[in-house]
Amino acid sequence: MSALDFYAQVATSGDVLGAGIGTNPGGWEAAVGPDFLDVPGGGLPRRDYGLVEINFSPDQQGLQGQMSCFGFGVKPQRLLYDLSSSTVPLPLSRKYGEFAPRLPFEELRAAILSLGHTVELEETSRDMHRYRVSESVARIDVVLDPDPYGSAPPIRTDIR
């Protein structure tokens, strides 16, 4: 498996190694590992794994003190600036191998199409396009500048 497989899997399934929307912090830790930074903020904590960032809110079932994921994002643009081993969680690098700092959008689109999904343009701006993956909650933000940081546009996949 490759990093491209990881990005396509997240975009089509809405999970990272089985953890996704509704998963509690312990479930995310079991899937992605113990190396993270918890970032408090306005009652809605965020867990930062480097490549993956998870947002939690109080559990909808009203259980006192319980939290669950209401959204997460995959942030490959972080690899442009930090290729240290802590940026890609160990369980991801073990399963998918090396993660490059760039991923051309057309490669990701082809991988998503090969999994039986479509990628539809949802909105545009002067410097970005946002795509929606069919039968998924995934949104893919693509930087349009052909050379915003170097030689190829990075992608950002936000799962909401």
Side-chain angles (χ1 to χ4, degrees):
M1 298 199 109
S2 69
L4 177 61
D5 295 321
F6 167 73
Y7 294 124
Q9 184 273 325
V10 170
T12 58
S13 71
D15 71 63
V16 174
L17 300 176
I21 305 298
T23 303
N24 66 27
W28 275 96
E29 187 172 343
V32 186
D35 298 322
F36 57 83
L37 175 65
D38 275 333
V39 182
L44 298 175
R46 179 171 44 93
R47 179 164 286 178
D48 189 341
Y49 280 96
L51 181 63
V52 180
E53 190 174 276
I54 303 111
N55 298 295
F56 295 100
S57 66
D59 198 324
Q60 299 301 317
Q61 298 166 354
L63 301 173
Q64 190 70 12
Q66 297 294 315
M67 304 291 276
S68 63
C69 171
F70 71 87
F72 69 92
V74 176
K75 313 291 185 178
Q77 71 273 17
R78 291 181 175 178
L79 298 172
L80 289 170
Y81 306 105
D82 186 1
L83 287 173
S84 66
S85 61
S86 63
T87 305
V88 177
L90 189 57
L92 294 179
S93 61
R94 281 185 182 148
K95 181 169 183 173
Y96 296 101
E98 187 175 329
F99 282 71
R102 299 179 188 283
L103 173 66
F105 175 67
E106 289 307 319
E107 289 180 24
L108 178 59
R109 181 197 311 257
I112 292 169
L113 292 174
S114 75
L115 294 173
H117 292 260
T118 60
V119 180
E120 302 163 4
L121 184 62
E122 188 173 78
E123 65 182 81
T124 65
S125 70
R126 189 171 57 85
D127 58 349
M128 292 187 75
H129 281 173
R130 173 169 285 165
Y131 295 87
R132 184 179 71 77
V133 178
S134 67
E135 300 172 17
S136 169
V137 294
R139 301 296 184 267
I140 302 170
D141 292 329
V142 178
V143 176
L144 296 178
D145 184 335
D147 194 16
Y149 308 107
S151 63
I155 62 149
R156 184 177 76 225
T157 305
D158 289 321
I159 308 294
R160 296 186 226 172

